[in-house]
Amino acid sequence: MNPSGDDLPLGREVGYLDVYDASLLRPVARAEGRSAWLGAGASLPFLGEDVWHCYELSWLGQEGVPRIAIVRLRVPCDSPNIVESKSLKLYLGSFAQTQMETPTAVRSLLARDISGVVGCETGVELLGLGQLSQVRPLAGESLDGFTPRLSKYRRDPRLLTASGAWGRDCIHTNLFRSVCPITGQPDWGSIVIDYEGRQLKRESVLAYLVSHRLSPGFHEDAVERVFVDLQQVAEPTRLSVQGRFLRRGGIDINPFRSLHQETAGLDRAPRQ
């Protein structure tokens, strides 16, 4: 059951527990963000997953010495829920003074609790500091050198324009920004688009992506809206959109949606 907004810790002052407590986790139903563009009972027009990296996990080993790891979560895009990010931060923080036998025991507990909240099996890895994916440049050509005259800063798909030509293009921008629908805080990120279809004018794609600047939505909602808007205009046979959002609360979130690919690349963007 999805909690009311008053039950979510995001945007509220809350106490920080340091002894394991799975009840801190809170779900947010994906259907809420999708209700504006997806009819009731309709199938999803994409494949994909959300890749989370959580940098603030520590627990006590059996000898009482703190242990640390980076958590990578891989949540399928067809899960009923996402986990609310601040509740995840609080939950991970509750391991701080919890004694655990092995990292495997920690991973098993995380997998059980988080899968239960999102409503399906969630991939969970514990990574050492040397195991995290390498930082690589974003795929495709950057749109950031274009200088269209911009004045719209709320999502406007009408800004997208396509030519009559058909082709393949891979582009990205580091200028993406949206706002948290609960706190109003900015969410900064990069967007990578790879498609084959009616060719979109690159200046129009940049203007469209910038138009999200004051639009509310969780990271996952923002990427899905971009995907659906591009699909309607480009009529592609191939399309993938990935968001690479900056850390907030020690967590970065990377939603990936695609017509043809279920899993995302795991490299980190330079700003992450």
Side-chain angles (χ1 to χ4, degrees), residues 2 17 20 84 87 94 104 111 128 132 141 177 198 238 255:
N2 196 50
L17 302 180
Y20 167 74
E84 191 274 309
S87 79
S94 77
T104 299
L132 194 60
E141 296 187 42
R177 177 190 188 268
R198 297 176 62 207
R238 293 175 57 89

Side-chain angles (χ1 to χ4, degrees), residues 253-264:
I253 305 176
N254 306 272
F256 174 77
R257 303 293 182 267
S258 177
L259 284 176
H260 54 277
Q261 186 176 332
E262 293 188 23
T263 57

Side-chain angles (χ1 to χ4, degrees), residues 137-146 148 150 170-177 188-194 202-213 226 230 241-246 269-271:
L138 297 173
E141 296 187 42
S142 175
L143 300 176
D144 298 351
F146 289 103
L150 304 179
C170 184
I171 48 183
H172 69 260
T173 182
N174 294 296
L175 305 182
F176 193 82
R177 177 190 188 268
W188 305 94
S190 302
I191 300 290
V192 181
I193 299 166
D194 188 356
R202 289 182 169 183
E203 295 93 334
S204 79
V205 177
L206 180 61
Y208 161 72
L209 292 173
V210 169
S211 77
H212 288 72
R213 195 168 180 84
V226 170
L230 293 173
V241 178
Q242 183 161 27
R244 303 291 186 89
F245 286 89
L246 277 62
R271 298 170 74 202

Side-chain angles (χ1 to χ4, degrees), residues 7 10 16 28 54 69 71 77 88 98 121 137 143 145 169 192 232-233 246 261 264:
D7 192 45
L10 195 61
Y16 287 82
V28 176
C54 311
V71 184
C77 70
L88 179 61
T98 303
E121 184 175 352
L143 300 176
D169 203 4
V192 181
Q232 291 179 348
V233 177
L246 277 62
Q261 186 176 332

